[in-house]
Amino acid sequence: MPLEELRVLLARHARPDWTTAIDGVLISKVDRPDPPAPSMSGTVLAVIAQGAKRLALGDRVFEYGPGQYLVASVDLPVTGQFLHADSEHPALGFGLTLDPSAVAELLLRAGPGDTPRTGGAAPSGIAVSDAPDALLDAVVRLLRLLDEPRDRAVLAPLVKREILWRVISGEQGATVRQLGLADSGLTHVSRAVRWIREHYAQPFRVEDVARMSGMSASAFYRNFQAVTAMSPIQFQKQIRLQEARLLLATHPGDVTGVGRRVGYDNPSQFSREYRRQFGAAPSQDAVRLRDAVRTPAGVLP
């Protein structure tokens, strides 16, 4: 069974920093369930071999376990939590970074009718499905190359393309295909997401960001909500609060200054929204962050 061998390979090659000798391939091994923690999802394919992960995006909740995969086609602010993990049965997961140029190349090579047509509203930026055996088999063959350094440089890129093709042509292919289309709704939303992340501390008008993204205000709002499960202003607030939390980890005594740096002119509003998001006042959470050792909480299990 591909899943059994996948567990063995992941357990053998897991590193503390999740990296591997194959570019873009990540392995996670987590031996305890953690409380929900915020992070950015990245653009990634994640396959779970053991354990489970729960991920919240806006008002949507995704849970995926052994033999299931998740695709994130936009780098989104999420809250993740590991489930069913202990020292004897750690959560084990495989991750592959999704490259828009690689998606575009495969779409150009595909023949007419090889993939369903992509149209209409942008799909959700995150989706979960059961992994078909063909996808699991390709993941296993890629991980075997970690034990075969002589063959790795030649064969790994080929197997990575096969994995990507299995996803592009599979159940959640619409989410990934739009990643490689220059004029897709997902691409327009991704452009706006990048702009908001880079300018999160400054106010903006939704109409201006829509224009910059190449969409009408109504189409932009509709597609942004579909992809991110948030309005543009809600998205900005998520980014601001996550950045504030990172800053507080290194500047625990400057709550007012941190709030101002991320765009809050009103300290009481900053404290109120921070407490609502993370369950503690900024000063209290700063102490907790300083003392805690956290596991990465992104898409990977």
Side-chain angles (χ1 to χ4, degrees):
M1 292 290 291
L3 200 57
E4 291 297 327
E5 186 176 358
L6 180 58
R7 292 190 184 105
V8 173
L9 289 166
L10 292 172
R12 182 160 74 241
H13 292 288
R15 298 176 178 174
D17 64 357
W18 294 20
T19 62
T20 71
I22 301 175
D23 185 47
V25 172
L26 305 170
I27 293 176
S28 64
K29 181 180 180 182
V30 178
D31 60 7
R32 70 181 188 279
D34 280 346
S39 70
M40 299 302 296
S41 68
T43 54
V44 68
L45 159 71
V47 179
I48 289 189
Q50 185 167 282
K53 183 71 181 285
R54 181 178 295 134
L55 205 70
L57 170 66
D59 59 359
R60 300 174 195 161
V61 177
F62 304 88
E63 188 170 320
Y64 49 119
Q68 294 184 305
Y69 72 95
L70 178 146
V71 289
S73 57
V74 181
D75 193 14
L76 297 170
V78 295
T79 299
Q81 180 181 22
F82 298 105
L83 308 170
H84 315 311
D86 57 44
S87 57
E88 292 187 6
H89 301 91
L92 296 168
F94 162 89
L96 178 64
T97 302
L98 298 177
D99 179 4
S101 63
V103 175
E105 180 187 356
L106 287 177
L107 291 176
L108 288 173
R109 288 177 174 270
D114 286 347
T115 61
R117 295 185 62 182
T118 301
S124 171
I126 292 179
V128 172
S129 282
D130 293 333
D133 286 343
L135 175 59
L136 293 177
D137 178 68
V139 171
V140 166
R141 284 186 281 110
L142 181 62
L143 292 173
R144 285 176 187 163
L145 293 173
L146 293 172
D147 295 317
E148 302 170 7
R150 187 193 65 176
D151 301 331
R152 191 185 301 146
V154 173
L155 296 182
L158 302 179
V159 184
K160 284 164 66 176
R161 288 177 63 184
E162 179 187 348
I163 291 171
L164 190 54
W165 174 250
R166 297 293 182 190
V167 177
I168 287 173
S169 58
E171 184 177 351
Q172 300 300 340
T175 297
V176 181
R177 286 193 296 272
Q178 290 211 35
L179 190 63
L181 298 175
D183 198 41
S184 69
L186 184 64
T187 302
H188 291 298
V189 171
S190 296
R191 193 178 303 141
V193 163
R194 284 194 299 271
W195 189 91
I196 295 173
R197 288 189 63 197
E198 292 170 1
H199 302 86
Y200 65 86
Q202 66 187 62
F204 63 84
R205 296 174 66 248
V206 173
E207 294 81 2
D208 294 337
V209 179
R211 189 180 309 110
M212 177 270 298
S213 303
M215 305 177 77
S216 69
S218 59
F220 170 71
Y221 192 92
R222 183 174 63 253
N223 281 280
F224 195 97
Q225 184 82 27
V227 171
T228 69
M230 289 172 269
S231 71
I233 300 302
Q234 289 172 326
F235 183 88
Q236 181 195 42
K237 184 170 74 172
Q238 290 281 318
I239 298 298
R240 282 181 170 181
L241 293 173
Q242 288 196 9
E243 291 295 329
R245 203 174 199 220
L246 290 174
L247 289 170
L248 283 171
T250 54
H251 301 83
D254 189 19
V255 172
T256 300
V258 166
R260 189 176 297 112
R261 284 178 63 180
V262 300
Y264 284 92
D265 294 327
N266 186 326
S268 62
Q269 181 188 7
F270 171 59
S271 181
R272 183 172 61 253
E273 293 190 355
Y274 192 100
R275 181 189 292 272
R276 186 179 302 127
Q277 179 70 19
F278 300 119
S283 57
Q284 295 172 330
D285 196 42
V287 174
R288 185 170 62 186
L289 287 170
R290 184 185 59 203
D291 297 337
V293 177
R294 294 187 174 273
T295 306
V299 165
L300 288 179

